[in-house]
Amino acid sequence: MSSNAEYRLLKDPNEPQERSQKRRRFRRVVFALVVLLVLLSFYPLDYDGNSSLLSQAESLKQCSLPLPPRAAPPSPHNLWASLTVSETSEIQAWLEAPHRNLNLTRASTSALSDNTIFLIETYYPPKADALAHLDSPASFNPPERYARVTIHHGSALEPTIKDYLVGPLPVDSSTTMKELTDIYHRDIPFNARGFISISELLAVWNSYTPEFRAAIEDLFNATLHGDQGTLAASGSGPFSFDGSFRRIWISWRKDVAGAWLHPLSFWNYFEVSGTDPSQWKVLKIVYGKQLFTSLESFLEAYRNGTLERRRVDGDVSWSTRKRVGSPRDLDHLPGPRSVSFAGLRFRVDRAKQYVSWMGWGMYLGFDRDMGLSLWDIRFKGSRIIYQLAPQEALAHYGGNDPMQSTTAWQDRYFGMGSAVRDMLPGYDCPHEAVYLPATTRTPLGSITVEKAICVFEQDTGKPITRHTGYVDGEFGAVKGYVLVVRSIAAVGK
């Protein structure tokens, strides 16, 4: 047997590679330490603890929050602000007190022959009193606040509509009520009343006899039963020119998206005057180009087969708002949007409903009839406009059918303000818009819409001025920025 001296250890083939890797790691560590020392040499350390590397380094900048700075209105009182829900509730309770002798019935359970509150809203103060306070808030108190109240007196021997002035507010022992004649100067004819609730329209529907309903379902291959109904009806306006009567053309359509684009050429003329729905009746019927002067004459033509039937188009898909067809090129990408990286450049006082921008300032008002209004508009402290408000929205129709040829909608009647709904961020207004609430009252109660108004600054993408010149201060352009205060009322269907 050989001795141990004759044995030799085999050399590990990986040994040189491992030694090389260790040397590389060591060099990297040394290099990193050198770089760190060099970097630290640029930041002198304060060993007293009064500062640190983090405090001396520039902090990471971030986009400002999309919240507007608070505005400073000329007066802490918005003289044209809407009544709050609690204020209208207090006024309603005050009016319903038995000793007022108004004999009021809540709208939710009222009949046309009842006395019912139609409207409670702010009554704007006299201009002279408002200006005296606005020009010197410290010297002149704000005008006393009053409410305008409209009551339908359906139980009167001669039914009528009256406006009242109730105040001063808030309600207390000094509050009084008197007729308000500054607007219409006379009572409003009852046939010119506004709609209290859907029950009035249901009373019109009750005038349709079972045979008449069956004929409609047969003619248009439709159903009229509740939520499963496949037809929609709408009325014409105005209902009268002087309030001496109340009549309406009912127009029928398919109950689909874009119903107004699918008329059925079928119209019914109704007498709906007075407070007794049992006296209401169909006066005329027009079907295609056929005129019937009574319901019975129409039904007789339907029974004996002399009624000329019209073909009903079955395709209703083209009127939808849903996308149809293939997508457009690059339409899958989000569109451009504006961002105020350094913060919003306008101010808002949400409680006072006051907005200011670049030297401009204004109070916001909101009412049932026309919605948004602007008050005491100033530029650099000087009043430019006292009141800027729409007065009416008129839609005058035209056509050869009974409804189109007689309709001229005055949307103030239906309530542009009460038709406002919440804005859709990114669609109705830009993403960084600031939203403000608005409160209106319907006969059935108060409604507060949290996103009724939006405010935003917008780059129009075009200059206000553009000039070429050859001396100092003559050449240049001015960017076109605008402030937008927006509210949208979707009226009708």
Side-chain angles (χ1 to χ4, degrees):
M1 185 175 218
S2 303
S3 65
N4 292 337
E6 296 178 359
Y7 290 94
R8 290 191 302 174
L9 294 175
L10 294 176
K11 185 179 293 186
D12 187 355
N14 296 324
E15 183 178 355
Q17 184 176 359
E18 291 178 353
R19 189 178 297 113
S20 176
Q21 290 177 349
K22 290 180 180 179
R23 284 197 296 268
R24 283 197 295 268
R25 284 197 294 268
F26 177 78
R27 292 193 190 102
R28 289 172 184 167
V29 172
V30 172
F31 179 79
L33 290 174
V34 171
V35 171
L36 179 60
L37 290 173
V38 171
L39 292 176
L40 290 176
S41 66
F42 290 99
Y43 298 93
L45 299 178
D46 186 352
Y47 293 100
D48 295 333
N50 295 327
S51 62
S52 65
L53 286 175
L54 183 60
S55 64
Q56 292 187 27
E58 185 178 1
S59 60
L60 180 64
K61 292 184 177 180
Q62 299 180 2
C63 293
S64 300
L65 292 175
L67 300 176
R70 186 167 182 175
S75 166
H77 304 279
N78 184 339
L79 308 181
W80 310 277
S82 302
L83 297 175
T84 65
V85 175
S86 60
E87 286 176 325
T88 55
S89 297
E90 289 176 358
I91 295 170
Q92 178 167 329
W94 187 86
L95 293 168
E96 291 175 340
H99 61 274
R100 307 271 176 241
N101 296 320
L102 293 174
N103 190 26
L104 294 173
T105 301
R106 290 286 178 98
S108 58
T109 59
S110 68
L112 291 174
S113 55
D114 292 326
N115 296 343
T116 307
I117 298 174
F118 176 75
L119 178 67
I120 302 175
E121 69 177 8
T122 297
Y123 184 72
Y124 298 142
K127 182 178 179 180
D129 295 344
L131 291 178
H133 170 70
L134 292 170
D135 291 340
S136 184
S139 302
F140 293 91
N141 292 327
E144 291 183 317
R145 298 176 65 235
Y146 285 83
R148 172 192 173 189
V149 176
T150 304
I151 297 179
H152 291 187
H153 291 277
S155 67
L157 186 61
E158 290 291 336
T160 188
I161 300 170
K162 291 180 181 289
D163 276 343
Y164 297 93
L165 191 64
V166 176
L169 302 176
V171 172
D172 58 22
S173 59
S174 66
T175 299
T176 61
M177 174 181 181
K178 67 176 183 179
E179 286 194 34
L180 177 61
T181 58
D182 295 348
I183 300 177
Y184 297 108
H185 309 293
R186 64 182 179 91
D187 292 347
I188 304 169
F190 193 76
N191 284 324
R193 66 188 179 275
F195 282 106
I196 290 288
S197 69
I198 194 67
S199 61
E200 183 170 346
L201 298 178
L202 294 177
V204 175
W205 173 243
N206 291 334
S207 301
Y208 284 74
T209 64
E211 185 180 7
F212 190 23
R213 298 182 191 184
I216 294 174
E217 291 182 328
D218 175 49
L219 288 173
F220 305 112
N221 189 27
T223 178
L224 300 175
H225 301 297
D227 295 337
Q228 303 301 318
T230 57
L231 298 183
S234 64
S236 64
F239 311 131
S240 173
F241 295 103
D242 58 5
S244 59
F245 61 84
R246 188 178 179 91
R247 295 171 185 167
I248 184 172
W249 279 102
I250 299 294
S251 175
W252 289 90
R253 308 179 178 97
K254 291 186 177 182
D255 190 13
V256 295
W260 60 91
L261 297 173
H262 300 280
L264 298 174
S265 296
F266 187 60
W267 301 272
N268 316 144
Y269 193 42
F270 273 88
E271 170 68 70
V272 290
S273 301
T275 62
D276 185 1
S278 67
Q279 301 300 311
W280 296 355
K281 60 182 179 180
V282 179
L283 298 177
K284 298 177 184 179
I285 295 176
V286 175
Y287 177 44
K289 296 182 179 180
Q290 304 164 84
L291 171 64
F292 302 91
T293 57
S294 68
L295 173 60
E296 182 56 35
S297 62
F298 169 80
L299 292 176
E300 179 60 27
Y302 172 75
R303 297 186 199 108
N304 61 30
T306 59
L307 187 69
E308 298 178 10
R309 292 177 175 246
R310 294 175 56 86
R311 184 178 65 87
V312 179
D313 186 9
D315 181 19
V316 297
S317 62
W318 57 272
S319 63
T320 179
R321 282 183 174 268
K322 295 181 180 179
R323 292 196 175 196
V324 296
S326 59
R328 300 183 183 184
D329 184 35
L330 300 181
D331 194 27
H332 64 287
L333 300 176
R337 56 182 289 187
S338 298
V339 179
S340 300
F341 289 103
L344 301 180
R345 303 197 306 171
F346 58 90
R347 298 177 181 270
V348 175
D349 187 326
R350 180 182 174 91
K352 302 297 186 295
Q353 296 270 290
Y354 185 84
V355 177
S356 63
W357 172 73
M358 300 289 172
W360 292 90
M362 67 199 78
Y363 291 92
L364 309 185
F366 204 93
D367 62 23
R368 177 261 179 201
D369 285 359
M370 294 304 297
L372 179 65
S373 56
L374 309 180
W375 297 84
D376 193 32
I377 302 174
R378 303 188 189 192
F379 180 63
K380 294 185 177 180
S382 297
R383 183 176 298 107
I384 306 298
I385 299 174
Y386 175 72
Q387 176 189 10
L388 182 62
Q391 299 302 301
E392 185 56 272
L394 175 65
H396 202 301
Y397 287 32
N400 64 349
D401 66 64
M403 181 176 178
Q404 301 285 340
S405 61
T406 61
T407 293
W409 289 125
Q410 294 173 296
D411 288 329
R412 184 187 193 102
Y413 170 85
F414 297 97
M416 296 284 284
S418 58
V420 167
R421 297 295 180 266
D422 279 316
M423 300 279 200
L424 299 177
Y427 289 85
D428 294 328
C429 305
H431 286 282
E432 68 174 15
V434 174
Y435 296 91
L436 297 174
T439 299
T440 58
R441 190 186 188 281
T442 71
L444 299 177
S446 296
I447 299 175
T448 297
V449 180
E450 290 298 328
K451 296 179 180 177
I453 304 167
C454 72
V455 185
F456 59 93
E457 187 181 13
Q458 184 178 40
D459 185 347
T460 63
K462 58 184 179 182
I464 296 177
T465 65
R466 179 70 171 85
H467 188 72
T468 298
Y470 301 97
V471 298
D472 185 33
E474 188 176 11
F475 176 88
V478 178
K479 290 182 69 67
Y481 293 110
V482 296
L483 182 75
V484 179
V485 182
R486 176 178 295 164
S487 183
I488 299 176
V491 182
K493 184 181 186 300

